[in-house]
Amino acid sequence: IILVIFRFIAHIPVPGVSLSALKSLFEQNQLLGMLDLFSGGAMRNFSVAAMGVYPYITSSIVMTLLVPVIPKLQALSQEGETGRQKVNQITHWLTIPLAALQGWAQLRLFQGQTPPVVAQTDVLGTIAIVATMTAGTMFLVWLGELITERGIGNGISIIIFGGIVAGFLQMVGEGYIAGQTNLSGLVVYVVLSVLIITLIVVFTEAHRRIPVQYARSQMRGTRMYRQSGSTHIPLRVNMAGMIPLIFAMSVMLFPGQIASWFAAPPGATPNFANTIMNLFDSTRTLYWALYFILVLAFAFFYTLIIFQQQDLAKTLQQQGGFVPGIRPGEPTRTYLNGVVTRITTGGALFLAFVAVMPFLGQLVTGIKVLQLSSTGLLIMVGVALDTLKQLEAQLLMRKYEGFLR
């Protein structure tokens, strides 16, 4: 029901929108396509929820990077559930100004197009539209948290998932139309898509198990007996998820987008901005090579930040656990960092390969593949697997409850 409400909101546009001009703009601008992905397709209609949950994702990423840097935030994150709730509350408050700023920027961008996508408004009208879009974003965040609290799966991810699925049939239809004159290329494209989905599932589920033993004490009468228990820590190969793709795509699209504002018009003498636009043209091999390298770099960067923030070595030492053959404390930390670095190499190469698959697929099949399809597939598969796991856990819990009764 919440997803139905979300799709309904995604089709309520702000006043004064020219749908024909908006469609033409999206066909020419890749940055807007990335933002539309996180709005769940709402931005393509410039609806009241055009920003989707993107400001909340930005706020979450900013807080993730700030917690290890700012001592007060780091102390809050170590206070257990209460501290995490406070950090989550700060993330929500930070979302509001970010949403207002992004809403104003989108409105000015659309109003500055030729022809304008949105009619010019006075100050009061601008404030009303920005406030409405900000409220739409916070409403979607609230809907996502309702799914998390009362439903199954991560609500924010499911909101994004619903938007991608809603536009998936259109993407398949466009690929089919493009492949009608190239049937062999269409067959190869379908086979590649299946292989990529399989690869995403394998790497999403892949993890390295680190054996851990715990020394436990038990009183029997007046004597103390020591017992040992063993378990393992699963370290995911792709610990960063799709975040490196988002970072790398933003970096690659940003210079070209800025240069397009200062570039010389067609027919005039090209300037430096035209050179930047050509360098960051998504049809060039250099663009995809830089994209590949950036995904690798961001995968290592984000994974190491997240892993250091968890500080598993300290947690194990406090709980009396140790890795067999490794001394607790600093040696355990060095060992775990080495393991994470090695498995992240495979995860980073996987993410970089998935990122450039649209370009490789176009070279092999001759069919133009949407640039965001790789990120969309990664999100769809990840959310589907996570939701299925939580559904299985709920069903298993229900069976145990029935057995106990």
Side-chain angles (χ1 to χ4, degrees), residues 19-32:
L19 295 181
S20 59
L22 188 62
K23 181 179 179 181
S24 176
L25 178 63
F26 268 86
E27 291 175 352
Q28 302 171 3
N29 195 306
Q30 297 175 350
L31 178 61
L32 295 180

Side-chain angles (χ1 to χ4, degrees), residues 152-198:
I152 298 174
N154 184 287
I156 301 297
S157 300
I158 290 178
I159 291 290
I160 300 174
F161 176 84
I164 297 174
V165 171
F168 188 72
L169 291 179
Q170 179 182 358
M171 184 181 70
V172 172
E174 290 175 354
Y176 176 74
I177 294 173
Q180 284 183 337
T181 57
N182 184 7
L183 293 180
S184 60
L186 182 61
V187 172
V188 175
Y189 173 66
V190 172
V191 173
L192 282 177
S193 299
V194 174
L195 290 177
I196 285 299
I197 292 176
T198 304

Side-chain angles (χ1 to χ4, degrees), residues 35-341:
L35 297 178
D36 183 59
L37 176 70
F38 293 99
S39 69
M43 190 177 181
R44 192 170 293 272
N45 302 318
F46 199 44
S47 74
V48 294
M51 296 180 294
V53 294
Y54 187 72
Y56 178 75
I57 294 175
T58 305
S59 178
S60 300
I61 294 174
V62 170
M63 289 299 297
T64 301
L65 298 177
L66 288 181
V67 164
V69 177
I70 301 177
K72 289 186 178 180
L73 292 178
Q74 189 173 11
L76 274 178
S77 65
Q78 296 174 354
E79 290 181 0
E81 185 63 28
T82 303
R84 284 192 292 269
Q85 289 180 358
K86 291 181 180 179
V87 172
N88 191 30
Q89 186 177 15
I90 296 173
T91 304
H92 282 76
W93 282 110
L94 182 60
T95 304
I96 296 176
L98 288 176
L101 181 62
Q102 183 178 332
W104 177 80
Q106 288 185 13
L107 179 61
R108 296 299 299 169
L109 175 65
F110 288 160
Q111 288 178 341
Q113 299 300 313
T114 305
V117 176
V118 183
Q120 295 290 336
T121 57
D122 55 10
V123 176
L124 186 60
T126 300
I127 293 175
I129 292 177
V130 171
T132 302
M133 295 173 65
T134 303
T137 293
M138 301 309 297
F139 183 63
L140 289 187
V141 172
W142 179 66
L143 290 179
E145 291 182 344
L146 280 181
I147 296 177
T148 303
E149 181 181 354
R150 302 182 179 274
I152 298 174
N154 184 287
I156 301 297
S157 300
I158 290 178
I159 291 290
I160 300 174
F161 176 84
I164 297 174
V165 171
F168 188 72
L169 291 179
Q170 179 182 358
M171 184 181 70
V172 172
E174 290 175 354
Y176 176 74
I177 294 173
Q180 284 183 337
T181 57
N182 184 7
L183 293 180
S184 60
L186 182 61
V187 172
V188 175
Y189 173 66
V190 172
V191 173
L192 282 177
S193 299
V194 174
L195 290 177
I196 285 299
I197 292 176
T198 304
L199 189 66
I200 291 175
V201 172
V202 170
F203 272 86
T204 301
E205 294 294 293
H207 59 272
R208 166 78 180 273
R209 295 187 175 186
I210 304 297
V212 176
Q213 291 186 352
Y214 290 92
R216 296 178 295 182
S217 300
Q218 185 178 6
M219 289 292 297
R220 292 182 181 178
T222 59
R223 302 187 64 179
M224 178 78 71
Y225 293 89
R226 294 186 64 84
Q227 296 178 336
S228 62
S230 61
T231 181
H232 65 270
I233 300 176
L235 297 178
R236 302 180 71 90
V237 173
N238 180 24
M239 197 178 300
M242 75 282 187
I243 298 298
L245 288 175
I246 299 171
F247 280 179
M249 191 180 301
S250 302
V251 171
M252 292 302 298
L253 293 179
F254 188 71
Q257 179 65 33
I258 297 298
S260 65
W261 299 343
F262 303 97
T269 303
N271 55 23
F272 181 72
N274 291 91
T275 305
I276 298 298
M277 285 182 59
N278 293 331
L279 285 176
F280 289 91
D281 186 1
S282 61
T283 60
R284 296 170 63 93
T285 305
L286 177 62
Y287 174 92
W288 292 98
L290 291 175
Y291 189 29
F292 185 92
I293 295 172
L294 282 175
V295 171
L296 286 176
F298 282 125
F300 277 98
F301 172 73
Y302 191 78
T303 299
L304 292 178
I305 285 182
I306 294 298
F307 186 72
Q308 289 178 2
Q309 187 175 341
Q310 293 175 349
D311 200 359
L312 291 180
K314 182 178 179 181
T315 304
L316 285 176
Q317 190 173 16
Q318 291 176 345
Q319 295 177 354
F322 61 94
V323 179
I326 308 295
R327 296 180 60 184
E330 191 61 33
T332 300
R333 182 177 288 105
T334 303
Y335 170 75
L336 292 178
N337 287 336
V339 172
V340 169
T341 301

